[in-house]
Amino acid sequence: MAEQFDVVIIGAGAAGMMAAIEAGKRGRRVAVLDHAKAPGEKIRISGGGRCNFTNIHASPKNFLSVNPHFCKSALARYTPHDFIALVDRYKIAWHEKTLGQLFCDETAKDIIRMLLTEMKEARAVLRLGAQIQTVEKTVSGFRIVTADGAIDCSSLILASGGKSIPKMGATGLAYKIAEQFGLPLVETRPGLVPLTLDPVQLESLNALAGVAVGAQARCGKTVFEEAVLITHRGLSGPAILQISSYWREGGDISLNLLPHADLAGVLKAARKQNGRQALQTALSEPLPKRLAQFFAEAAGLSNRPLADLSDKAIDAFCLTLKDWVIKPAGSEGYRTAEVTLGGVDTKALDSRSMQARDVPGLYFIGECVDVTGWLGGYNFQWAWASGFSAGQVA
């Protein structure tokens, strides 16, 4: 005999726990199933262990989707200020970092404990270590068969995430169930991920591994300005993670290493003050020393005094730093990607409830949906908002 619940949620991450809380508040009997040993594992490791739980600037423009309008309804119904109010109610201390990013002062575990307490108060049942075997449609809803038995429900919410960070248990289960019930998928790929370079490029940049610099990263018309880190594999840092979601294989990215400096003016002034000074010495003022040496050597000007360089030569050299074009070989993949781009096609879902249009009672929320946020708390805000929306209806 199968157990009976009103709502079953597969996935005890940010979106799944939020949906459980909201559905439970409505008096629905809720069970949350997850194959992991602990809930909220992505919450636990996020933000260096302090959880970048939202961004005060979150709006539809900060999200990628085939349908950029889909996220508007959920984001409007549950805002960053709504989640901040919940955090404040639990007296969890937090602070704002750069660009509207909010972090816990102490630990991400505070957010997990808060959500578990809310779930308990809403009488939602949490089942960890649950191995999902099959999901079937029934006359009155759905039957989920696990290794421990069957569960029947009238509403089923998929909150099992995407493919990113498989070592933490990512499986792509939501995509399989979506396909089982005839929902279309948008091609999935790693997002917010370091980019790799081919062996020839890596060898040329070998001396720069570990160098970080503030820069503008550009791909097409999209530009992000944050830190860029050169690694033994390629490029990382916030600006690269951001632009990776827009980059596609075979394409270029461009780095402006001094977006707000009049570098040509700086070098010409240095030439006037001390013409015997070497170019790379003058360049070491606005740039890390190793980076200055790299560009001076690449231009064949490493030992040339500034006095030997004409205005035209200085202008041409500065352009190479303002538009450093790099063609990545690929990305580090789902192994290190913070999110999965693509997923369940939003045209198959109702934007207000997250319910499948052609399968009443079936919902998809969080990362498994084709809505992906920028780096900086936006994906958590989508999890809270989409989970809230489904929990209000399921």
Side-chain angles (χ1 to χ4, degrees), residues 284-305:
S284 294
E285 289 297 318
L287 284 176
K289 186 175 180 180
R290 281 191 282 164
L291 205 55
Q293 182 179 353
F294 170 83
F295 276 98
E297 289 179 351
L301 302 172
S302 56
N303 296 315
R304 293 280 295 277

Side-chain angles (χ1 to χ4, degrees), residues 193-199 201-206 208-212 228-237 240-241 253 255 324 326-332 335:
V193 64
L195 298 176
T196 58
L197 302 176
D198 64 43
Q201 290 176 303
L202 283 178
E203 186 175 355
S204 70
L205 298 179
N206 185 53
L208 298 179
V211 170
V228 170
L229 173 67
I230 300 171
T231 73
H232 290 292
R233 293 191 184 94
L235 301 173
S236 189
I240 296 299
L241 298 186
I253 64 169
L255 299 180
W324 183 18
I326 299 173
K327 187 171 184 175
S331 79
E332 291 190 4
R335 180 179 65 84

